[in-house]
PDB file of all heavy atoms in Angstrom:
ATOM      1  N   ASN A  87     -32.588  -5.207   2.129  1.00 74.00           N
ATOM      2  CA  ASN A  87     -32.393  -5.971   0.903  1.00 74.00           C
ATOM      3  C   ASN A  87     -31.460  -5.176  -0.018  1.00 74.00           C
ATOM      4  O   ASN A  87     -31.899  -4.255  -0.701  1.00 74.00           O
ATOM      5  CB  ASN A  87     -33.748  -6.225   0.226  1.00 74.00           C
ATOM      6  CG  ASN A  87     -33.646  -7.077  -1.012  1.00 74.00           C
ATOM      7  OD1 ASN A  87     -32.651  -7.061  -1.729  1.00 74.00           O
ATOM      8  ND2 ASN A  87     -34.705  -7.823  -1.291  1.00 74.00           N
ATOM      9  N   ILE A  88     -30.185  -5.537  -0.017  1.00 69.00           N
ATOM     10  CA  ILE A  88     -29.184  -4.787  -0.787  1.00 69.00           C
ATOM     11  C   ILE A  88     -29.490  -4.824  -2.279  1.00 69.00           C
ATOM     12  O   ILE A  88     -29.399  -3.805  -2.960  1.00 69.00           O
ATOM     13  CB  ILE A  88     -27.760  -5.313  -0.506  1.00 69.00           C
ATOM     14  CG1 ILE A  88     -27.383  -5.025   0.943  1.00 69.00           C
ATOM     15  CG2 ILE A  88     -26.744  -4.680  -1.451  1.00 69.00           C
ATOM     16  CD1 ILE A  88     -26.077  -5.642   1.390  1.00 69.00           C
ATOM     17  N   GLU A  89     -29.866  -5.976  -2.795  1.00 77.00           N
ATOM     18  CA  GLU A  89     -30.162  -6.093  -4.228  1.00 77.00           C
ATOM     19  C   GLU A  89     -31.291  -5.144  -4.627  1.00 77.00           C
ATOM     20  O   GLU A  89     -31.207  -4.446  -5.634  1.00 77.00           O
ATOM     21  CB  GLU A  89     -30.534  -7.540  -4.564  1.00 77.00           C
ATOM     22  CG  GLU A  89     -30.700  -7.788  -6.051  1.00 77.00           C
ATOM     23  CD  GLU A  89     -30.984  -9.255  -6.362  1.00 77.00           C
ATOM     24  OE1 GLU A  89     -30.434 -10.130  -5.670  1.00 77.00           O
ATOM     25  OE2 GLU A  89     -31.757  -9.504  -7.299  1.00 77.00           O
ATOM     26  N   GLU A  90     -32.333  -5.087  -3.828  1.00 69.00           N
ATOM     27  CA  GLU A  90     -33.446  -4.186  -4.106  1.00 69.00           C
ATOM     28  C   GLU A  90     -33.006  -2.730  -3.994  1.00 69.00           C
ATOM     29  O   GLU A  90     -33.348  -1.894  -4.833  1.00 69.00           O
ATOM     30  CB  GLU A  90     -34.595  -4.463  -3.129  1.00 69.00           C
ATOM     31  CG  GLU A  90     -35.822  -3.597  -3.367  1.00 69.00           C
ATOM     32  CD  GLU A  90     -36.938  -3.910  -2.393  1.00 69.00           C
ATOM     33  OE1 GLU A  90     -36.671  -4.084  -1.183  1.00 69.00           O
ATOM     34  OE2 GLU A  90     -38.093  -3.967  -2.853  1.00 69.00           O
ATOM     35  N   ALA A  91     -32.207  -2.426  -2.967  1.00 67.00           N
ATOM     36  CA  ALA A  91     -31.733  -1.054  -2.764  1.00 67.00           C
ATOM     37  C   ALA A  91     -30.861  -0.582  -3.924  1.00 67.00           C
ATOM     38  O   ALA A  91     -30.815   0.608  -4.221  1.00 67.00           O
ATOM     39  CB  ALA A  91     -30.957  -0.954  -1.453  1.00 67.00           C
ATOM     40  N   MET A  92     -30.180  -1.514  -4.590  1.00 61.00           N
ATOM     41  CA  MET A  92     -29.306  -1.152  -5.707  1.00 61.00           C
ATOM     42  C   MET A  92     -30.046  -1.081  -7.041  1.00 61.00           C
ATOM     43  O   MET A  92     -29.453  -0.713  -8.051  1.00 61.00           O
ATOM     44  CB  MET A  92     -28.138  -2.133  -5.784  1.00 61.00           C
ATOM     45  CG  MET A  92     -27.205  -1.993  -4.578  1.00 61.00           C
ATOM     46  SD  MET A  92     -25.792  -3.079  -4.628  1.00 61.00           S
ATOM     47  CE  MET A  92     -24.798  -2.271  -5.879  1.00 61.00           C
ATOM     48  N   THR A  93     -31.323  -1.390  -7.040  1.00 68.00           N
ATOM     49  CA  THR A  93     -32.135  -1.301  -8.249  1.00 68.00           C
ATOM     50  C   THR A  93     -32.381   0.169  -8.590  1.00 68.00           C
ATOM     51  O   THR A  93     -32.812   0.937  -7.719  1.00 68.00           O
ATOM     52  CB  THR A  93     -33.498  -2.007  -8.042  1.00 68.00           C
ATOM     53  OG1 THR A  93     -33.264  -3.359  -7.685  1.00 68.00           O
ATOM     54  CG2 THR A  93     -34.357  -1.942  -9.297  1.00 68.00           C
ATOM     55  N   PRO A  94     -32.100   0.572  -9.845  1.00 57.00           N
ATOM     56  CA  PRO A  94     -32.342   1.969 -10.216  1.00 57.00           C
ATOM     57  C   PRO A  94     -33.783   2.394  -9.941  1.00 57.00           C
ATOM     58  O   PRO A  94     -34.721   1.633 -10.173  1.00 57.00           O
ATOM     59  CB  PRO A  94     -32.061   1.993 -11.721  1.00 57.00           C
ATOM     60  CG  PRO A  94     -31.109   0.862 -11.933  1.00 57.00           C
ATOM     61  CD  PRO A  94     -31.525  -0.200 -10.944  1.00 57.00           C
ATOM     62  N   LEU A  95     -33.929   3.585  -9.388  1.00 52.00           N
ATOM     63  CA  LEU A  95     -35.190   4.244  -9.053  1.00 52.00           C
ATOM     64  C   LEU A  95     -35.838   3.732  -7.766  1.00 52.00           C
ATOM     65  O   LEU A  95     -36.860   4.250  -7.348  1.00 52.00           O
ATOM     66  CB  LEU A  95     -36.195   4.178 -10.215  1.00 52.00           C
ATOM     67  CG  LEU A  95     -35.700   4.750 -11.545  1.00 52.00           C
ATOM     68  CD1 LEU A  95     -36.776   4.620 -12.614  1.00 52.00           C
ATOM     69  CD2 LEU A  95     -35.281   6.208 -11.392  1.00 52.00           C
ATOM     70  N   PHE A  96     -35.252   2.724  -7.110  1.00 55.00           N
ATOM     71  CA  PHE A  96     -35.780   2.273  -5.819  1.00 55.00           C
ATOM     72  C   PHE A  96     -35.281   3.221  -4.735  1.00 55.00           C
ATOM     73  O   PHE A  96     -34.099   3.546  -4.671  1.00 55.00           O
ATOM     74  CB  PHE A  96     -35.317   0.846  -5.488  1.00 55.00           C
ATOM     75  CG  PHE A  96     -35.771   0.398  -4.117  1.00 55.00           C
ATOM     76  CD1 PHE A  96     -37.048  -0.101  -3.935  1.00 55.00           C
ATOM     77  CD2 PHE A  96     -34.941   0.529  -3.018  1.00 55.00           C
ATOM     78  CE1 PHE A  96     -37.482  -0.488  -2.673  1.00 55.00           C
ATOM     79  CE2 PHE A  96     -35.361   0.154  -1.753  1.00 55.00           C
ATOM     80  CZ  PHE A  96     -36.630  -0.367  -1.579  1.00 55.00           C
ATOM     81  N   THR A  97     -36.193   3.673  -3.886  1.00 58.00           N
ATOM     82  CA  THR A  97     -35.798   4.543  -2.776  1.00 58.00           C
ATOM     83  C   THR A  97     -36.703   4.302  -1.581  1.00 58.00           C
ATOM     84  O   THR A  97     -37.871   3.937  -1.733  1.00 58.00           O
ATOM     85  CB  THR A  97     -35.824   6.036  -3.172  1.00 58.00           C
ATOM     86  OG1 THR A  97     -35.319   6.803  -2.074  1.00 58.00           O
ATOM     87  CG2 THR A  97     -37.219   6.509  -3.548  1.00 58.00           C
ATOM     88  N   THR A  98     -36.137   4.500  -0.415  1.00 58.00           N
ATOM     89  CA  THR A  98     -36.927   4.491   0.810  1.00 58.00           C
ATOM     90  C   THR A  98     -37.010   5.916   1.352  1.00 58.00           C
ATOM     91  O   THR A  98     -37.519   6.134   2.440  1.00 58.00           O
ATOM     92  CB  THR A  98     -36.270   3.578   1.884  1.00 58.00           C
ATOM     93  OG1 THR A  98     -34.953   4.050   2.149  1.00 58.00           O
ATOM     94  CG2 THR A  98     -36.233   2.140   1.433  1.00 58.00           C
ATOM     95  N   GLY A  99     -36.519   6.859   0.562  1.00 55.00           N
ATOM     96  CA  GLY A  99     -36.418   8.255   1.012  1.00 55.00           C
ATOM     97  C   GLY A  99     -37.577   9.136   0.641  1.00 55.00           C
ATOM     98  O   GLY A  99     -37.504  10.338   0.822  1.00 55.00           O
ATOM     99  N   GLY A 100     -38.636   8.587   0.095  1.00 54.00           N
ATOM    100  CA  GLY A 100     -39.787   9.410  -0.248  1.00 54.00           C
ATOM    101  C   GLY A 100     -39.640  10.095  -1.595  1.00 54.00           C
ATOM    102  O   GLY A 100     -38.701   9.845  -2.349  1.00 54.00           O
ATOM    103  N   GLY A 101     -40.562  10.996  -1.883  1.00 55.00           N
ATOM    104  CA  GLY A 101     -40.661  11.642  -3.180  1.00 55.00           C
ATOM    105  C   GLY A 101     -39.523  12.562  -3.552  1.00 55.00           C
ATOM    106  O   GLY A 101     -39.333  12.865  -4.728  1.00 55.00           O
TER     107      GLY A 101
END
Side-chain angles (χ1 to χ4, degrees):
N87 183 329
I88 294 173
E89 187 176 324
E90 182 179 43
M92 293 182 74
T93 302
L95 304 180
F96 176 82
T97 185
T98 59

